[in-house]
Amino acid sequence: MYNIIEKTCVRIQHGEDNIGSGVLIADNETFYVLTAAHCLGDEDVEIEKENIVIKKQFDYASEFNNISVKDIVDIDFDKDYCLIEIDFDDEEKLLNSYKFGKGFIKDLGVKFCGYQNINLNQYRPFDAKIITVSDLHHKFKIKLIENTFDQAGENGYDIAKGLSGSGVFIFQHNTPFLIGILNSVLEDQAWNDDIECCSIAHLEKYFTEYVNLSDIEQLKKWEENIEKERTKQEIESFKELRSEFFDNLYRKNKILYPDKDVDRITSENIKQFISIEENIKTLENSFPEIFVDFKRLVKKQISTVANDYSRIVSNSNEAKNQKLELQKFLEDKIEKQIPKFYSFDLSEYQVLQWLGICTLNFIEND
């Protein structure tokens, strides 16, 4: 997943002296490169699309392939970005494998990848963190982690040159979000290894689907709610309101755990179920696209669960193996469509629900 920053990295050049980096982005059937405007030259010099050369490597050691430029869609020297439409249709799955993020907060770790002038034939990834944000001006500043542009007595500016235009990514729960591009280091000495960046939010008129990363705080609440202690009254209320569900789950736990305290195990199941169910309601409100994907996936698996996993079992181990196998199967399915952070809890919740409504059914062989 992390090599998405390398797979979307390109080198861009306009004329002899103007060289920088860029990031591949996509919107339905149209493909673009986003870069810093100053990578193409000065504001008082006409930028002609015929003179823009964009190249991409498969990996850092491979040959360069040319990417054809179709049009300069938008260029703003004050905000320092340029959006270029390209002729590029062979990596659609790659380009749709990340989302646009805005509303992010400081101290989050980021990654970027670009071409330094000291070695223009190989891209290089970097780790950094956000140190301050200006939502008003769609700008933010990042700082290198464990690296420095101050090397061998050279000015940091010279070492960093060429990295402008690199895509800046945040990874949240195994999901990449493009949040902006590099603009410039601070002063010739690259003070504190700080880098000015502009936000992808400048392009909202072209790309409308953004994830507000400030909502990622909801994920913390998800974890906290899972760990929340449930009162005996909540369990009794569940048993009263959803007695058939409780009875079905209790009966199957007697098959799964014949030598255990089934009352305690069923109560623990219900506590977990209540917590995740509350989180799913929050998910529906805060991240409706994730909720819809989950419900659609579950619906597709109903017949598989009823036909392939429900059965007469001869002992508890057979039932346990079927339950674990189903949960792993479902977890793998969920991970392909939904951020990995949710996959275990959602799969556990869904298996409990299927047990409670008898989509997943175990019957002892008498």
Side-chain angles (χ1 to χ4, degrees), residues 34 79 81 101-104 134-135 137-140 179-181 183 197-203 210:
L34 178 63
K79 299 179 177 66
Y81 70 84
K102 64 177 183 178
F104 43 88
S134 173
D135 289 326
H137 296 98
H138 298 321
K139 296 170 62 176
F140 60 98
I179 63 169
I181 57 170
N183 287 143
C197 304
C198 76
S199 168
I200 193 77
H202 284 302
L203 302 177
Y210 288 78

Side-chain angles (χ1 to χ4, degrees), residues 53-186:
V53 178
I54 301 175
K55 294 178 179 285
K56 182 183 183 302
Q57 292 176 287
F58 177 77
D59 59 45
Y60 82 95
S62 63
E63 298 294 321
F64 282 93
N65 293 315
N66 289 323
I67 296 176
S68 299
V69 174
K70 295 180 70 173
D71 194 20
I72 299 174
V73 178
D74 192 359
I75 186 166
D76 190 315
F77 282 93
D78 289 334
K79 299 179 177 66
D80 200 12
Y81 70 84
C82 180
L83 185 67
I84 303 167
E85 185 179 350
I86 58 173
D87 186 9
F88 191 77
D89 57 9
D90 62 345
E91 296 192 46
E92 183 171 354
K93 290 184 179 178
L94 166 68
L95 293 176
N96 289 327
S97 62
Y98 68 84
K99 302 177 183 295
F100 299 127
K102 64 177 183 178
F104 43 88
I105 55 179
K106 69 177 185 177
D107 294 326
L108 287 176
V110 299
K111 293 178 178 287
F112 66 90
C113 185
Y115 291 88
Q116 294 173 276
N117 273 15
I118 57 173
N119 185 7
L120 286 171
N121 293 320
Q122 293 182 353
Y123 58 69
R124 187 185 191 285
F126 291 84
D127 291 305
K129 72 173 183 176
I130 300 170
I131 56 174
T132 188
V133 178
S134 173
D135 289 326
L136 179 63
H137 296 98
H138 298 321
K139 296 170 62 176
F140 60 98
K141 193 184 296 183
I142 64 176
K143 174 182 175 59
L144 290 185
I145 297 175
E146 297 180 357
N147 288 296
T148 178
F149 290 130
D150 182 15
Q151 299 176 29
E154 297 286 340
N155 278 340
Y157 173 83
D158 296 325
I159 299 295
K161 195 172 182 182
L163 291 173
S164 294
S166 301
V168 182
F169 289 85
I170 284 178
F171 288 80
Q172 287 291 326
H173 308 293
N174 213 33
T175 301
F177 297 90
L178 178 66
I179 63 169
I181 57 170
L182 266 63
N183 287 143
S184 62
V185 298
L186 297 185

